[in-house]
Amino acid sequence: MASQKKVIRSCLHMLASGHTKRKCLAKIESISTSCIRSISGSQVYQAKEFAFEMACSNIRYGEGVTKEVGMDCKNLGGTNVCVMTDSNLVKLPPVKATLESLDKHGVRYKLFDKVRVEPSDQSLKEAIDFCHANKFDLFVAVGGGSVMDTCKAANLFSSKPDAEFLDFVNAPIGKGLPVKHPLKPLIAITTTAGTGSETTGTAVFDFKKMQAKTGISSRCLRPTLGILDPLHLLTMPERVAAYSGIDVLCHAIESYTAMPYYERQGQEDPSFRPAYQGNNPISDIWSLQALRVTAKYIKRAVYNTDDKEARSSMLLASCFAGIGFGNAGTHLCHGMSYPISGLVKSYKSKDYSDDHPLVPHGLSVVITAPSVFEFTAPACPERHLQAAEALGVDVRNVKKADAGKVLREVLLKIMQDIECPDGIESLGYTTNDIPALVKGTLPQHRVTKLSPRPAGAEELTEILTKSLKNY
C-alpha cells in the first residue's frame, strides 16, 4: 500500500512538472485494477463496477384491465387509498374507470387531482403535504409521467415524514441518499405511450431554484404494478401522442448507447449502486425492440386516434423502453432537456395545458437528439449503427465513421414525419441562451456521466449550437 501511494505521489509530481497527463494517469491506474483503498485505509471500493441489477415493476396489459384495480387494492391491503391524477384527466374515462372499480370493490379512497403537468418542486410538495395529512396506505396514479412521478415522490416522502426534500434528490443538486425506509404499494395506470414511468424508479421535476429539471432515482420508487390499458390511449391528443412517442425513441437510443455498466465507478456499498447503471445485455434487448416497434407505429399512432393497433403497440414500446432505460439509464439528450424545459420563456404547445409556458418533455429531449448522437457516435459506432438499423436503415455498407451522420438523418426524418418544431430556436431560445442551458446541464450527473463520450461545457455548447435549427 505504501509503495502504491509513493507511485501516486510521484505521478502527481510528474504532472506538476509538465509530463503528459495520459502517461501519469495510466501509471496510477496500473497500480490496481481491482480496488483502491481510501485514505484512511479502512474501506475498499471497486475501481470499476462489476455487476448490474435488473429491476422492474410487475406489468399487466390488456383492453379494459383497469377494471381490476379495485381488486388489486384489496389484495394489497389498501384501506385508505390515494388516487392521484391531474385536472384534465379527472374528467376523462381513465379516472372514471378507476374510481368505478374502487367503488365496486368497496375500497375507501381520496382523490388528488392537482398534479402539475411537468411537475415542479412546489407542486410535488403540495402533493406530499396532502399525503402527509391523510396517511394513505396505498397509492394509485392515473396519468402520464407527470402524475406517476408526482405519486412516486408523494409516496417516498409521506412514508418518511422527517425527511428533508433534498435528501433523496440526485447529487450534486441534492444529497442523493439511498432510500432505506419502506414505501407503500403504488399502482400506476398509464394514459400515455412514452414515459415508461410505470416501470421505473425515477421521478423528475422542475427545480425552480435552478431553473432546470432534476429528479429522484431509486429502485424503491418503482410502482408495485403498472397497468397498461390500451383503451386509455383513445383519449390521447395528437401532440401528446407525438411528444410522448418520440420520448420512447430517445429512451431506447440513449440507453442502448450509454456507457457500459462495467465502465462506471464501483461502489463499496451496493445500496449506492444507481438505478441508471449503463448499457447491459438485458436492457439492450428491451431497447432495440422498443426502437423497432416505434419506427413501425409512431406516425400512425400520432395521426390516427382510432388506430388501436398502432397506439397499443406504442404503449408496449413505451414499456419496453422503460425497462431498458430504467436500468441502463439515459444520457445527454435527457441531461440537456432539463434546462430546456426549466428555462422555458413563453413556449406553449397545442394539446397541452395552457395555464403556464411548457416545453413537453419528449420534445425537450428529442430536439437535441440528432446532434447528440452525431457527437457520441465515435465512442461506440457499432451501437449507433445498430440503433439506426433497428429504426429501419440498411447499414450493411455504412462505414463506422458515418454512424453518427446516418443516425442523425433517420432521426430527422422521423421528427419531420410527426412535425416536431425545428430546433431549440423554435422553442424561444437564441445563441445568447446557450450558456444558461449549458450551466443547467452540467450538474445533471445522474445522466450526463453515462454519456459514452465525455461532454463538458465546450462540447455541450457545440451540441446546443448545432441544435438551434435541425432541418
Side-chain angles (χ1 to χ4, degrees):
M1 182 64 187
S3 63
Q4 292 174 348
K5 288 182 178 179
K6 187 175 180 180
V7 171
I8 292 174
R9 283 196 295 267
S10 171
C11 288
L12 292 174
H13 178 72
M14 289 166 63
L15 280 171
S17 303
H19 286 71
T20 64
K21 184 188 294 186
R22 180 175 296 179
K23 287 182 179 179
C24 296
L25 293 180
K27 191 170 183 180
I28 291 172
E29 187 172 7
S30 71
I31 67 173
S32 175
T33 59
S34 61
C35 67
I36 299 174
R37 293 190 178 272
S38 66
I39 295 174
S40 68
S42 62
Q43 296 181 348
V44 177
Y45 65 93
Q46 295 295 322
K48 293 292 184 182
E49 183 58 88
F50 70 98
F52 67 91
E53 181 175 340
M54 291 298 297
C56 178
S57 308
N58 292 322
I59 298 295
R60 185 182 301 147
Y61 171 91
E63 286 190 19
V65 75
T66 303
K67 65 186 177 184
E68 298 176 359
V69 70
M71 172 198 71
D72 294 318
C73 288
K74 289 197 75 171
N75 290 343
L76 289 168
T79 60
N80 184 27
V81 176
C82 174
V83 179
M84 198 167 284
T85 191
D86 63 43
S87 59
N88 181 52
L89 277 164
V90 73
K91 310 164 191 171
L92 298 176
V95 172
K96 181 182 177 183
T98 299
L99 299 184
E100 285 178 350
S101 180
L102 295 177
D103 288 334
K104 178 182 176 182
H105 289 86
V107 176
R108 185 163 68 95
Y109 62 86
K110 284 189 177 180
L111 182 66
F112 181 86
D113 62 0
K114 297 178 181 178
V115 170
R116 186 182 191 268
V117 177
E118 303 297 339
S120 65
D121 50 335
Q122 291 100 320
S123 73
L124 288 189
K125 289 174 183 176
E126 184 178 359
I128 292 165
D129 289 343
F130 176 80
C131 296
H132 270 317
N134 287 282
K135 302 187 187 310
F136 297 112
D137 57 15
L138 193 146
F139 292 83
V140 176
V142 188
S146 296
V147 173
M148 290 185 277
D149 287 5
T150 299
C151 201
K152 291 174 188 176
N155 186 9
L156 172 68
F157 286 100
S158 65
S159 299
K160 189 172 175 57
D162 61 339
E164 296 181 2
F165 184 73
L166 289 178
D167 280 355
F168 307 112
V169 173
N170 300 312
I173 296 167
K175 297 178 183 177
L177 298 179
V179 178
K180 295 189 175 181
H181 64 277
L183 274 64
K184 306 299 190 296
L186 190 161
I187 299 173
I189 304 173
T190 183
T191 60
T192 63
T195 67
S197 191
E198 72 279 0
T199 71
T200 75
T202 299
V204 176
F205 62 92
D206 285 321
F207 190 35
K208 292 299 184 181
K209 182 178 178 181
M210 281 187 57
Q211 290 188 295
K213 283 183 181 287
T214 184
I216 304 165
S217 188
S218 169
R219 294 177 187 85
C220 300
L221 265 66
R222 70 184 188 278
T224 310
L225 172 66
I227 291 180
L228 309 182
D229 188 339
L231 294 180
H232 297 336
L233 301 190
L234 301 180
T235 60
M236 186 168 57
E238 176 195 290
R239 286 299 89 192
V240 177
Y243 299 144
S244 59
I246 206 73
D247 196 23
V248 176
L249 183 147
C250 289
H251 284 155
I253 302 179
E254 286 177 79
S255 61
Y256 191 70
T257 59
M259 172 192 294
Y261 76 92
Y262 51 80
E263 289 186 5
R264 274 193 312 98
Q265 178 65 57
Q267 304 290 339
E268 179 202 359
D269 181 348
S271 68
F272 281 89
R273 182 173 288 139
Y276 285 9
Q277 302 162 94
N279 81 59
N280 60 77
I282 301 178
S283 283
D284 286 351
I285 296 169
W286 296 99
S287 299
L288 287 177
Q289 182 62 9
L291 289 178
R292 296 183 190 105
V293 176
T294 301
K296 184 175 181 179
Y297 290 107
I298 187 169
K299 188 174 181 179
R300 283 171 50 185
V302 169
Y303 295 112
N304 299 285
T305 307
D306 59 351
D307 190 334
K308 276 189 179 182
E309 180 188 15
R311 290 205 161 187
S312 298
S313 296
M314 284 303 299
L315 183 59
L316 288 172
S318 173
C319 181
F320 299 161
I323 297 171
F325 91 85
N327 291 282
T330 54
H331 55 83
L332 295 182
C333 299
H334 274 75
M336 285 186 285
S337 80
Y338 298 149
I340 289 172
S341 293
L343 291 169
V344 61
K345 301 172 184 178
S346 59
Y347 184 83
K348 294 182 180 180
S349 174
K350 174 189 170 186
D351 296 332
Y352 282 81
S353 172
D354 60 2
D355 63 354
H356 58 275
L358 168 70
V359 180
H361 173 67
L363 175 57
S364 71
V365 171
V366 79
I367 205 78
T368 62
S371 296
V372 164
F373 295 121
E374 192 170 25
F375 168 78
T376 56
C380 47
E382 298 90 350
R383 283 187 169 261
H384 287 68
L385 286 175
Q386 287 159 359
E389 184 176 39
L391 291 172
V393 179
D394 183 350
V395 299
R396 286 174 293 182
N397 297 315
V398 177
K399 297 177 181 177
K400 289 182 181 180
D402 294 328
K405 180 180 178 182
V406 169
L407 188 51
R408 176 187 177 88
E409 291 305 314
V410 69
L411 284 174
L412 289 174
K413 173 65 168 59
I414 294 172
M415 291 167 67
Q416 288 179 306
D417 281 348
I418 62 170
E419 300 178 89
C420 285
D422 184 12
I424 61 173
E425 202 173 74
S426 66
L427 307 182
Y429 294 107
T430 68
T431 303
N432 294 333
D433 296 307
I434 289 178
L437 294 172
V438 170
K439 182 180 178 182
T441 303
L442 288 172
Q444 308 295 339
H445 293 179
R446 174 179 64 98
V447 289
T448 58
K449 295 298 184 183
L450 286 174
S451 173
R453 183 179 176 190
E458 183 178 345
E459 291 80 10
L460 293 173
T461 298
E462 179 185 346
I463 293 168
L464 286 161
T465 301
K466 289 189 70 173
S467 301
L468 284 165
K469 291 188 73 68
N470 284 325
Y471 309 135

